[in-house]
Amino acid sequence: MMKGYIHVYTGNGKGKTTAAFGLALRAEGAGLKVFIGQFVKGKTYNENVAVARYLKNITVKQFGLGCFIVNTPTDDDIKAAGKGLDEMRKIIQKGKHDLVIMDEVNIALYYKLFEVDELIEIIKGKPDHVELVLTGRYAPGEIIEVADMVTEMKEIKHYYTKGIEARKGIEF
């Protein structure tokens, strides 16, 4: 079995989730089993539709309540994230998936939906063969420290600053 490493995709630029789904696509093509847990997100995105339709070795589960948190998280947001973290802990520890992606987990930390120490405990307890990807802006220093690879997406220029709305199939 191949050794699994810890990746972090962070930064204020577009492409963190897209990069994680790209890695999931590559892993699926190689016959690996993939689990993607999406924190904070709770609505249908077209990458989820494509996975459900075509990629049977990838499972996606959302632990959000419909829309991305913009202001202060509610008690329900905190409960949903805590439940998601517990589920992810079990999935990782079972070791049945070769690649596990915790999408927007850094945002969950940023909004204090759970503590960074809880996530680090999960990371350190992962089976050796599990590849683990953590996405989301604002990755805290403690997460960067335990990671094997960190990629920062940096926004240089984006057309949304000109008022262009998110487009189906491109941004969602």
Side-chain angles (χ1 to χ4, degrees):
M1 241 183 241
M2 169 171 72
K3 177 173 174 30
Y5 292 96
I6 301 158
H7 307 224
V8 173
Y9 304 154
T10 193
N12 71 343
K14 180 177 168 7
K16 297 170 290 292
T17 296
T18 304
F21 269 83
L23 183 59
L25 177 64
R26 178 179 285 162
E28 206 277 350
L32 302 180
K33 194 166 180 188
V34 181
F35 189 94
I36 303 171
Q38 294 188 303
F39 289 87
V40 185
K41 294 176 177 175
K43 65 180 190 175
T44 302
Y45 295 90
N46 285 303
E47 58 267 29
N48 303 36
V49 172
V51 164
R53 191 179 299 157
Y54 301 112
L55 304 170
K56 301 307 174 200
N57 279 334
I58 301 177
T59 301
V60 180
K61 183 155 186 195
Q62 294 184 326
F63 305 118
L65 300 178
C67 65
F68 212 81
I69 297 169
V70 178
N71 298 309
T72 306
T74 65
D75 287 344
D76 288 342
D77 290 321
I78 293 166
K79 281 182 200 159
K83 190 174 169 188
L85 189 66
D86 288 341
E87 191 168 332
M88 293 301 295
R89 176 185 287 111
K90 291 173 189 160
I91 286 163
I92 291 166
Q93 286 175 347
K94 283 181 185 171
K96 291 183 179 176
H97 294 85
D98 304 293
L99 171 63
V100 177
I101 297 168
M102 299 177 81
D103 187 35
E104 301 295 1
V105 73
N106 294 322
I107 287 290
L109 289 171
Y110 177 77
Y111 282 107
K112 302 189 182 332
L113 300 182
F114 43 79
E115 297 298 320
V116 69
D117 293 345
E118 294 176 87
L119 181 55
I120 288 174
E121 178 187 316
I122 292 169
I123 293 168
K124 289 186 173 178
K126 80 168 187 63
D128 202 44
H129 73 280
V130 174
E131 197 85 11
L132 183 59
V133 177
L134 313 171
T135 77
R137 294 170 186 246
Y138 316 121
E142 300 94 325
I143 296 299
I144 290 170
E145 184 67 31
V146 298
D148 297 300
M149 183 186 92
V150 179
T151 299
E152 180 180 8
M153 296 350 186
K154 181 179 176 188
E155 182 179 311
I156 305 296
K157 185 177 183 179
H158 198 302
Y159 40 79
Y160 74 79
T161 60
K162 296 178 181 173
I164 296 169
E165 298 289 321
R167 299 164 302 144
K168 184 177 181 178
I170 305 298
E171 281 82 29
F172 69 94

